[in-house]
């Protein structure tokens, strides 16, 4: 059974009146007649193949906020109908007419007026949307760079990199559309005044197909990376669900309020003002709600396979006041560095951030909140595996620039200068090694530079005594991690491979 409806992705620019008309005429020859023009998809209904003529006309005074078509627009439709042109569909300023006559009388004959109508319609609709999308893309790219404290944070976050690429594509699409329109508008206006013809813009169908395909690929990759970025999937699923609910509710409020005001006959000006006000208020309220829910979820071990909830000491209500202890296997532990630690109660946490460019490993071995007065040394380790050799220098330099920024921001309050001071690299088996200094005082923090790998290692006892030869040899194994007897034996996390 043949289908009666057909939905098609719109690949034509809003101002490409000639290209749209040719396409609709070709669809009519194939037995499909336009029924509805949407912002993304156009709907056709099946009909007998026929030779039909289409005309795309722009009525600048039309608005999406009008409760009903204004009298001038209805008079215009009646005039077109009197000459054989039936209104097929209209989307805001764009009106699509159809005429079955072999040689129909054109609706518009003055190219100067046509050009003025196209420009006014674009200014009120599509051009404004492209400018808005351009600004949103720039803002989102800036936010991604702003949220990354250092270049290594950005390069090791597959989610952030994909977000930059996705919004970069949207930015390029908006810029390309605006440049193409303004170039055509300038040439078409001159031709209309001097030659009495209206130039047809070039149809950029293949460019649109390529851009939309890339955007779809990056959206899928972004979602896939987000879901695979952590083993702790429940937290990711919860975050995605919250964002989808946020977007759905905001869209429902915006479109629903506009529809209700149109239904009740609100003037277009009042509808626009109230819709803008409602959008701002709804966005603020929903953002506050999302922020509140996020705060409630902070610190909860959603989906973490090696997390344990413990009651906080000193509180009667143990079900309400709790803290989280992690039992992740680590590639290097305090016990391996100094031997068994009697009475130590550790939380061992592992986190991985990965992209095609840089992989970041974060390892923390900390005393638990309920350890009491037991003093046990803590170990912190960050490993950056650089997959492209050209990025090694920027990742390494980011550690030094981080301290330069700190020194610059704290120079007026008398804070000691912080710096990385070179030290002997041979005992570590590294190419270069730097020790962290606060003023003239050396600290137990080291920066180890291996080929395509940088390790930042901090161990509490090294603040008082220098690391031994045996201790300096151990970090060479990071991050070549495998499930073996030497790594976090007895932890629940032993059933999870770290390779």
């Amino acid at each position: 059974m043949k289908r009666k409806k057909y939905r098609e992705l719109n690949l034509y620019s809003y101002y490409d009146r000639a290209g749209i008309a040719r396409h609709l005429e070709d669809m009519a020859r194939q037995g499909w007649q336009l029924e509805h023009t949407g912002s993304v998809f156009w709907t056709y209904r099946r009909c007998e193949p026929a030779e039909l003529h289409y005309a795309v006309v722009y009525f600048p005074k039309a608005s999406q906020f009008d409760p009903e078509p204004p009298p001038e627009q209805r008079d215009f439709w009646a005039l077109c109908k009197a000459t054989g042109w039936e209104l097929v569909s209209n989307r805001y300023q764009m009106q699509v007419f159809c005429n079955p006559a072999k040689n129909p009388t054109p609706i518009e004959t003055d190219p100067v007026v046509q050009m003025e109508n196209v420009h006014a319609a674009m200014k009120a609709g599509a051009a404004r949307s492209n400018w808005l999308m351009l600004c949103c893309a720039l803002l989102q790219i800036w936010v991604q760079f702003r949220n990354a404290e250092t270049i290594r944070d950005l390069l090791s976050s597959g989610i952030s990199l994909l977000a930059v690429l996705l919004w970069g594509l949207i930015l390029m699409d908006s810029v390309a559309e605006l440049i193409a329109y303004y170039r055509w508008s300038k040439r078409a206006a001159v031709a209309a005044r001097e030659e009495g013809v209206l130039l047809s813009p070039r149809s950029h169908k293949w460019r649109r197909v390529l851009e939309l395909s890339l955007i779809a690929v990056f959206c899928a990759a972004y979602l896939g990376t987000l879901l695979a970025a952590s083993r702790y999937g429940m937290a990711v699923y919860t975050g995605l669900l919250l964002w989808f609910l946020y977007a759905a509710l905001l869209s429902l409020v915006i479109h629903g309020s506009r529809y209700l005001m149109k239904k009740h006959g609100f003037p277009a000006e009042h509808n626009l003002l109230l819709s803008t006000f409602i959008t701002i208020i709804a966005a603020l309220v929903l953002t506050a709600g999302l922020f509140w829910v996020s705060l409630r979820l902070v610190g909860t071990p959603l989906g973490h396979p090696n997390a344990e909830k413990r009651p906080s000491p000193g509180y009667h209500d143990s079900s309400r006041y709790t803290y989280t202890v992690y039992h992740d296997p680590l590639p290097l532990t305090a016990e391996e560095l100094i031997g068994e630690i009697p009475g130590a109660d550790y939380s061992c946490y592992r986190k991985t951030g990965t992209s095609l460019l840089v992989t970041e490993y974060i390892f923390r071995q900390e005393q638990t909140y309920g350890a009491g007065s037991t003093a046990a040394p803590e170990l912190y380790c960050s490993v950056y595996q650089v997959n492209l050799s050209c990025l090694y220098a920027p990742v390494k330099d980011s550690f030094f620039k981080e301290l330069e920024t700190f020194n610059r921001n704290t120079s007026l309050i008398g804070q000691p200068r912080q710096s990385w001071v070179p030290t002997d690299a041979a005992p570590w088996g590294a190419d270069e090694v730097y020790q962290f200094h606060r003023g003239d005082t050396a600290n137990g923090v080291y920066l180890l530079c291996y080929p395509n790998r940088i390790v930042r290692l901090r161990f509490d006892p090294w603040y008082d005594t220098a690391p031994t030869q045996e201790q300096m040899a151990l970090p060479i194994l990071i991050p070549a991690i495998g499930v073996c007897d030497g790594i976090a034996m007895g932890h629940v996390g032993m059933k999870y491979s770290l390779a």
Side-chain angles (χ1 to χ4, degrees):
M1 183 179 178
K2 294 183 178 181
R3 57 180 176 177
K4 297 181 179 180
K5 299 283 186 178
Y6 173 68
R7 288 169 63 84
E8 176 188 57
L9 181 65
N10 174 30
L11 298 175
Y12 290 89
S13 299
Y14 189 76
Y15 61 95
D16 189 6
R17 50 187 296 278
I20 295 173
R22 286 194 302 269
H23 177 69
L24 295 178
E25 290 169 1
D26 183 60
M27 292 295 291
R29 296 187 193 99
Q30 301 176 38
W32 294 104
Q33 187 169 351
L34 181 68
E35 187 175 72
H36 175 71
T37 51
S39 57
V40 179
F41 293 98
W42 289 2
T43 305
Y44 298 82
R45 69 173 184 273
R46 182 171 291 280
C47 65
E48 291 296 325
E51 286 289 340
L52 300 176
H53 292 276
Y54 281 88
V56 180
V57 182
Y58 299 91
F59 191 81
K61 294 182 180 181
S63 171
Q64 60 180 311
F65 298 100
D66 287 326
E68 58 182 16
E72 298 95 328
Q73 189 174 10
R74 292 198 297 268
D75 293 341
F76 175 69
W77 291 348
L79 181 61
C80 292
K81 186 174 183 179
T83 57
W85 291 97
E86 289 287 344
L87 179 68
V88 177
S89 177
N90 70 301
R91 178 170 170 262
Y92 311 147
Q93 294 84 12
M94 187 175 72
Q95 323 286 304
V96 181
F97 295 89
C98 176
N99 195 327
K102 290 185 177 180
N103 297 301
T105 302
I107 297 177
E108 294 179 315
T109 57
D110 188 344
V112 174
V113 175
Q114 288 177 288
M115 188 62 218
E116 291 175 351
N117 289 339
V118 171
H119 182 68
M122 285 293 294
K123 186 178 179 180
R128 180 187 298 174
S129 299
N130 280 319
W131 278 111
L132 180 61
M133 191 60 68
L134 185 149
C135 294
C136 288
L138 287 173
L139 177 62
Q140 288 294 330
I141 293 173
W142 177 82
V143 166
Q144 295 300 326
F145 280 94
R146 188 70 178 84
N147 286 342
E149 296 183 2
T150 63
I151 188 65
R152 65 180 184 270
D153 297 325
L154 178 65
L155 294 176
S156 62
S157 174
I159 295 173
S160 296
L161 284 178
L162 283 172
V164 170
L165 290 174
L166 175 60
W167 283 105
L169 282 174
I170 295 174
L171 174 66
M172 289 189 292
D173 177 63
S174 301
V175 170
E177 280 292 312
L178 289 170
I179 291 176
Y181 167 68
Y182 286 118
R183 288 182 62 185
W184 168 81
S185 176
K186 185 177 180 180
R187 290 186 288 107
V190 173
R193 290 193 306 268
E194 298 180 358
E195 302 176 20
V197 296
L198 181 63
L199 298 179
S200 298
R202 294 181 180 179
S203 296
H204 303 284
K205 290 179 61 177
W206 292 112
R207 191 201 76 198
R208 296 283 294 172
V209 169
L210 178 61
E211 289 173 346
L212 292 173
S213 300
L214 288 174
I215 290 174
V217 168
F218 279 118
C219 283
Y222 182 87
L223 185 60
T225 303
L226 189 62
L227 294 175
S230 172
R231 294 175 301 166
Y232 320 131
M234 186 58 67
V236 177
Y237 295 141
T238 303
L240 283 175
L241 178 61
L242 289 175
W243 275 108
F244 282 136
L245 287 175
Y246 172 88
L249 287 173
L250 185 59
S251 178
L252 179 63
V253 170
I254 294 172
H255 292 90
S257 61
R258 185 174 63 193
Y259 169 78
L260 289 175
M261 283 186 284
K262 289 174 64 174
K263 184 177 180 181
H264 289 84
F266 280 63
E269 297 81 4
H270 296 171
N271 193 331
L272 174 60
L273 291 174
L274 288 174
S275 294
T276 303
F277 177 76
I278 291 173
T279 299
I280 294 173
I281 297 300
L284 291 175
V285 171
L286 290 175
T287 301
L290 184 65
F291 183 70
W292 180 82
V293 173
S294 301
L295 288 179
R296 300 284 292 182
L297 295 177
V298 167
T300 58
L302 288 174
H304 196 301
N306 303 323
E308 175 191 354
K309 298 290 288 186
R310 294 182 182 177
S312 297
Y315 291 96
H316 298 292
D317 189 355
S318 59
S319 62
R320 180 177 179 183
Y321 299 101
T322 61
Y323 65 97
T324 304
V325 177
Y326 299 96
H327 302 292
D328 289 332
L330 304 180
L332 183 67
T333 64
E335 291 86 350
E336 290 177 309
L337 289 170
I338 60 174
E340 291 298 322
I341 306 171
D345 185 18
Y346 280 119
S347 174
C348 299
Y349 178 78
R350 173 183 181 268
K351 177 184 176 183
T352 303
T354 184
S355 73
L356 295 176
L357 305 179
V358 176
T359 301
E360 176 192 46
Y361 302 87
I362 303 294
F363 306 105
R364 299 200 305 261
Q365 186 178 9
E366 304 170 296
Q367 288 193 93
T368 63
Y369 180 72
S373 59
T374 303
E378 297 183 335
L379 178 66
Y380 299 87
C381 180
S382 304
V383 182
Y384 296 88
Q385 187 74 35
V386 184
N387 302 323
L388 288 180
S389 57
C390 60
L391 296 176
Y392 184 86
V395 172
K396 176 186 172 184
D397 292 342
S398 68
F399 289 92
F400 296 86
K401 291 180 179 179
E402 193 174 21
L403 296 188
E404 291 175 3
T405 302
F406 174 84
N407 292 331
R408 185 169 56 250
N409 293 338
T410 59
S411 60
L412 298 178
I413 59 176
Q415 286 280 351
R417 287 185 58 82
Q418 298 181 359
S419 60
W420 291 108
V421 178
T423 187
D424 188 10
W428 299 91
D431 296 338
E432 295 176 282
V433 174
Y434 300 85
Q435 187 175 11
F436 180 76
H437 281 61
R438 181 177 284 108
D440 297 328
T441 305
N443 287 261
V445 184
Y446 290 85
L447 189 66
L448 317 176
C449 301
Y450 301 97
N452 298 324
R453 190 180 69 208
I454 298 174
V455 180
R456 186 181 185 274
L457 189 62
R458 169 194 157 187
F459 189 45
D460 288 346
W462 293 345
Y463 280 78
D464 301 318
T465 59
T468 65
Q469 293 286 335
E470 293 77 10
Q471 291 174 341
M472 287 188 284
L474 284 173
I476 300 175
L477 300 175
I478 302 173
I481 309 164
V483 177
C484 64
D485 292 340
I487 300 179
M489 175 57 71
H491 283 172
V492 179
M494 281 297 293
K495 62 184 179 181
Y496 297 95
S497 173
L498 300 181

